[in-house]
């Protein structure tokens, strides 16, 4: 029997989705013309379309009330950030939500042509915005980022390099990560980011996996690497501190659901016998 998929819509704001009191993304049966059709959802309860907050307010689908929003059928709806929902979703659902967030942002940022400034319209059969005058096509942009777990094994016990960014006031330590630059290979980007942020040399770069990360439209490419020498010298504009930590003495690290957490857990599992 074919799986029945409801035609329902999410409301997106920034990198968050409007959720009910139970923390589940709230769905709307309304389907305005401004809604973006998404890929076929991997689960029947996921949305088939998405719309931005501004359009939802203008269409009267929701209205501000107190600290949140109400609709005709639900009260006290709140926006929850993508990162805060990861521990409550499987990978397929998280990727679908990232897809919706990225497309709504792309729709908002490409209402006008980047070449001549005239208005754009949707392509009928693919994700593209077409200029009504010069016919320039603008497609959703994906920004590749590298993230690397650096392991040191020339010590009595294996150690993992962790760093704390200035923005993490809560004391969370994470892995070295950064955007790829034009003309770089993935390996070049990893070596450059490590050198720029902590000044050490690495070797044996090995691919782990990837994750869609809508901040704003990133594709996180995860890797392992081994320490190959040098002293840690941090980029003080980027980092507050960085060091190698024994695996049973790690500081607070990113929550479950992120590729950073997955990489750290993979390192711990690989060296658990030490």
């Amino acid at each position: 029997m074919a799986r029945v998929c409801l035609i329902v819509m999410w409301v997106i704001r920034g990198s968050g989705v409007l959720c009910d009191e139970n923390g589940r993304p709230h769905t709307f049966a309304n389907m305005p013309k401004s809604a973006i059709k998404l890929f076929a959802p991997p689960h029947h309860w996921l949305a088939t379309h998405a719309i931005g907050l501004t359009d939802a307010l203008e269409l009267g689908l929701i209205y501000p009330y107190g600290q949140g929003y109400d609709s005709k059928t639900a009260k006290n709806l709140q926006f929850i950030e993508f990162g805060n929902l990861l521990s409550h979703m499987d990978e397929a659902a998280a990727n679908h939500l990232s897809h919706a967030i990225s497309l709504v942002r792309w729709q908002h940022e490409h209402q006008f042509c980047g070449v001549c400034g005239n208005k754009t319209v949707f392509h009928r059969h693919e994700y593209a915005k077409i200029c009504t005058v010069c016919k320039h096509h603008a497609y959703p942009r994906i920004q590749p980022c590298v993230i690397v777990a650096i392991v040191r094994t020339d010590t009595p016990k294996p150690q993992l390099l962790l760093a704390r960014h200035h923005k993490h006031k809560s004391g969370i330590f994470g892995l070295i990560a950064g955007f790829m630059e034009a003309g770089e290979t993935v390996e070049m980007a990893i070596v450059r980011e490590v050198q720029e942020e902590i000044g050490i040399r690495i070797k044996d770069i090995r691919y782990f996996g990837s994750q869609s990360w809508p901040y704003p439209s990133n594709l996180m490419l995860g890797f392992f690497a081994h320490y190959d020498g040098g002293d840690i010298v941090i980029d003080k504009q980027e980092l507050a501190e960085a060091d190698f930590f024994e695996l049973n003495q790690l500081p607070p690290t990113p929550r479950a659901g992120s590729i950073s957490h997955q990489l750290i857990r993979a390192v711990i599992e690989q060296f658990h016998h030490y």
Side-chain angles (χ1 to χ4, degrees), residues 236-254:
K236 294 183 179 180
Q237 292 188 349
E238 289 280 338
L239 302 177
E241 54 184 315
D243 206 347
F244 282 100
F245 297 88
E246 291 186 1
L247 301 182
N248 63 346
Q249 298 179 357
L250 298 182
T253 55

Side-chain angles (χ1 to χ4, degrees), residues 89-106:
M89 289 183 164
D90 63 22
E91 182 178 2
N95 288 338
H96 193 67
L97 177 55
S98 179
H99 171 62
I101 291 170
S102 298
L103 286 180
V104 169
R105 180 182 285 110
W106 164 72

Side-chain angles (χ1 to χ4, degrees), residues 117-193:
N118 285 284
K119 192 170 179 59
T120 61
V121 294
F122 275 106
H123 192 286
R124 293 182 61 185
H125 305 297
E126 61 181 349
Y127 292 125
K129 297 295 288 292
I130 307 171
C131 177
T132 53
V133 176
C134 75
K135 308 305 179 184
H136 173 73
H137 286 48
Y139 298 91
R141 183 174 59 185
I142 299 171
Q143 301 177 101
C145 301
V146 293
I147 181 168
V148 58
I150 303 169
V151 178
R152 184 170 187 171
T153 56
D154 62 346
T155 49
K157 293 183 179 181
Q159 297 179 338
L160 177 65
L161 188 287
L162 294 172
R164 183 172 65 84
H165 285 255
H166 291 296
K167 63 182 180 181
H168 290 153
K169 305 299 183 183
S170 60
I172 296 295
F173 281 70
L175 303 176
I176 298 302
F179 289 98
M180 291 182 62
E181 300 291 351
E184 283 187 322
T185 64
V186 170
E187 293 80 5
M188 289 168 61
I190 294 169
V191 171
R192 174 184 54 76
E193 282 291 339

